[in-house]
Structure formats: C-alpha cells, structure tokens
Amino acid sequence: MISLLLLVGLAVAVFVGFNVGGSNTGVAFGPAVGSGAVSKLAAGLLMTVFALLGGWTVGRRVVTTLGSNLVVGDPFTLPVSIGVLFFIGGSLFVSNVFGVPASTSMTAVGAIAGLGLAQNALATAVVLEIISWWIVAPLIAFWVSGMVGRYAYDAVEERIAVDTSDGSLLALDTDGRVPTPQLADETTPREATGVVLVVGIACFMAFSAGASNVANAIAPLVGSGQLTMNAGILLASGAIGLGAVTIARRTLDTMGEGLTELPLTAALVVAVVSATLVTALSAIGIPASFVVIATMSTVGLGWGRATRAEGALVVDADDVVEELEQEVSVGDLYRPWATLRVVALQNAVPAVATIGAYALFSVW
C-alpha cells in the first residue's frame, strides 16, 4: 500500500511538472505562436509529445545524475525530496502566475544547492562551473541575436521570405475518395517551408526541455528509490503536458507578444540561436538555462532591430515620414519595461528557491 507521505511526494512532483510545462512551453513555442505558425493548443500538444520523447531518451541520464553531482552523499530521503520539490514547484508557480517563464534548471539547482549549503555538502566547483555558463550563454544569445537584428535581419528575411498570409496554412482537398491535406490558396511554398522550420525547431527545443527538465520533477523521488525511472518519466511528462495546455497560455503571450513583435522570420532566428546554444551546453554536460537563453535571444533580436530603426539617417521629407513610422514601431520591437520585469523575475525565482530550501533544511 502506498504511504500517505509518498502520495504527497507524487502530488508535489506533479505540481512541479505542471509548472515546468507552463514555463517552458512559452519559451519553446512562444515565437511560433507569436508568428501565427501554430495555435496555443497545438503548441501545448506538441510540447507534451516532444517533452516525453526527450525525457524518455536523453532525460534518463539527467535523472540519474541530478541528485549526485551537486550535493555530496545521499541526501534524498523521501521527506527531503518532498521539501526540495516543494520549493522548485512553488517558485515556478509564482513565475507562471506573473506570466514570466523562469528557468526550471536554475530553480532546481538553486533548491538543491540550498540543501547542500544547509548540510555543508555542496559540491562548490560543480556549482560555480554551472553558474559561469549560465552567465555567459545568455550574453552570447543576446549579442548574436542583436547583431543579426541590427545588421543581417533584412538580408535573412529577403532570402527566406516567410511572411505569413491570411487564413489557414492548409486546406483539405475533397475531390478524391479520401480527403487529403494541401496548401491553402493563399499559402506560398516559402511560407510553408518557413512554418515547418519554425515549428520543427520549436519541437526540438521542447525535446531539449523534456530531456533536462523531466529530472527536475522526479529526480529526488527516483534517487530515493520511491519511484522507478519509467514510471517517473511518464508521471513528469503527463504533468508537463497538463501545464502546457493550461497555464502555459500566459507565458506564450509573454514570449510571443509581450517582449517583441515576432514575424515568422524573427521567430526562426530566435529558435535557431536558442536551440543551438542549449544543444551545445547539453553536449558538454551543463544543465542549460533554457528559459533565460531563449528570453535573451528574443530581447536581443528586438533590441537590434529597434536600435537599427533609431539609427537611420534622415535626408529628405519622404525619409522624415519613413523615420517617424520606424520610431513608432520601436515600441513594438523592443519593450524595455517588459524586459526589465522578465529579467528581474527570472533571477528572483531561483534565489527564492535557494534561500527557502536553505532555511528549511538548516532547521530540519
């Protein structure tokens, strides 16, 4: 018979997975939703499928190692696991309520680091290495995207030409015995190719999110022997899917519309930069700050485009009108106050998890 304490642990794990889905879906599919490539419901369903694939394959390694690298010894008893998961889930829930996606990896590492500090068992060298990459990678994302936005965006847009048309992307051909999907009359082949690229990269980002973040929901319980690996992955993936189709709607709005207006070309740039950096960090064994990297890529692209508009030269009356139109659009390209709110909360959430876990386990 399952004990009451284990039921509590499972409930907290589901709560963490639910908030992981709410936070990471906005980052993976925000550009695709903001550009009109997919709906919010479709984004949630795709997030569910690819997060499960990532967790079921690559994520097994993360589940195995998360509980042993940051803290020396074997700290994850069932009560301790519940305490750690509580701070991870609670902190992520606060970020989702504010509509700002927070880094699950940073929050989970923060909570476990709080446990390690309280027990004088923190693997300091490992933590410092991870933090150094968390600082460097978002800066790389910001500046690469910013340079693309300022100097290369127009050339990229002209080359791929993936502006969206009105109406649906696909239509059903009902002339035959079996209805078959085909491109709608208004859809160009280039637009269809662009949509496939954006959605495909978003699915890859969802795969990466599942690979790294499934562990954040279940690693303590699996590490304590209370849950098998397969059962844990299925539990976490189901909870992520629930969050992806419900609470993720707010973070989808924030990432797709609240920071910068993203046409399909811009969504493709953000997705490529973010997915490349996350994959590179995962390849060298660093738990990637998935949310922060994608956020800073989005902000960097908007900043680059906005500063390009602000720096245009005005030489005659026609250019004056054009420049004024560009200045009006700057507020759409880059919103400093929205950016400040996002960055502040993304740093506050892991800090809250760390301090809360340290305070709890200091008196445990």
Side-chain angles (χ1 to χ4, degrees):
M1 180 178 296
I2 299 177
S3 67
L4 178 60
L5 189 59
L6 179 56
L7 287 176
V8 172
L10 294 175
V12 176
V14 169
F15 182 66
V16 173
F18 174 80
N19 284 284
V20 167
S23 180
N24 284 268
T25 302
V27 178
F29 287 93
V33 171
S35 66
V38 295
S39 66
K40 291 180 181 179
L41 177 59
L45 295 176
L46 288 171
M47 180 72 187
T48 303
V49 172
F50 283 91
L52 172 60
L53 289 175
W56 193 264
T57 54
V58 182
R60 293 174 180 271
R61 297 181 179 179
V62 184
V63 174
T64 302
T65 60
L66 185 61
S68 60
N69 291 340
L70 298 181
V71 180
V72 178
D74 186 17
F76 288 115
T77 63
L78 181 55
V80 168
S81 300
I82 294 173
V84 170
L85 291 173
F86 172 79
F87 283 106
I88 297 172
S91 301
L92 291 175
F93 178 74
V94 170
S95 72
N96 286 327
V97 167
F98 281 96
V100 176
S103 171
T104 310
S105 295
M106 291 177 67
T107 304
V109 170
I112 296 173
L115 167 65
L117 286 171
Q119 296 185 351
N120 294 318
L122 183 65
T124 306
V126 176
V127 174
L128 290 177
E129 181 183 6
I130 292 173
I131 291 175
S132 66
W133 279 108
W134 283 351
I135 295 172
V136 172
L139 293 176
I140 294 174
F142 178 88
W143 285 111
V144 170
S145 299
M147 293 304 99
V148 171
R150 185 172 177 85
Y151 298 111
Y153 183 83
D154 291 342
V156 173
E157 186 173 39
E158 182 179 357
R159 179 175 293 275
I160 62 178
V162 291
D163 290 334
T164 55
S165 59
D166 295 331
S168 301
L169 180 70
L170 299 175
L172 284 179
D173 182 4
T174 58
D175 293 337
R177 301 182 65 178
V178 179
T180 57
Q182 63 179 16
L183 294 180
D185 293 337
E186 299 82 3
T187 304
T188 65
R190 282 196 172 188
E191 178 188 353
T193 301
V195 169
V196 170
L197 287 173
V198 170
V199 175
I201 293 172
C203 291
F204 174 66
M205 294 176 76
F207 178 92
S208 299
S212 61
N213 291 324
V214 160
N216 297 327
I218 60 165
L221 292 177
V222 173
S224 65
Q226 300 294 326
L227 201 61
T228 66
M229 178 73 74
N230 289 347
I233 292 173
L234 291 175
L235 178 70
S237 299
I240 289 173
L242 181 61
V245 298
T246 54
I247 196 172
R249 293 177 177 271
R250 294 200 63 182
T251 52
L252 282 168
D253 287 337
T254 298
M255 295 305 298
E257 301 172 5
L259 296 182
T260 181
E261 292 291 340
L262 290 181
L264 201 54
T265 304
L268 184 59
V269 172
V270 169
V272 168
V273 172
S274 303
T276 301
L277 279 171
V278 170
T279 302
L281 288 175
S282 300
I284 61 175
I286 301 296
S289 302
F290 176 79
V291 169
V292 176
I293 290 172
T295 299
M296 293 306 293
S297 177
T298 302
V299 173
L301 182 63
W303 171 81
R305 293 171 65 196
T307 53
R308 178 184 177 89
E310 290 173 335
L313 294 177
V314 178
V315 296
D316 57 30
D318 290 337
D319 286 339
V320 170
V321 175
E322 182 179 355
E323 177 64 13
L324 288 175
E325 291 175 349
Q326 288 177 327
E327 287 179 356
V328 170
S329 68
V330 167
D332 292 331
L333 295 173
Y334 174 60
R335 299 184 173 98
W337 288 112
T339 300
L340 179 62
R341 178 175 68 93
V342 169
V343 173
L345 282 174
Q346 284 183 340
N347 284 277
V349 169
V352 168
T354 304
I355 295 170
Y358 175 78
L360 173 65
F361 295 115
S362 293
V363 297
W364 191 270

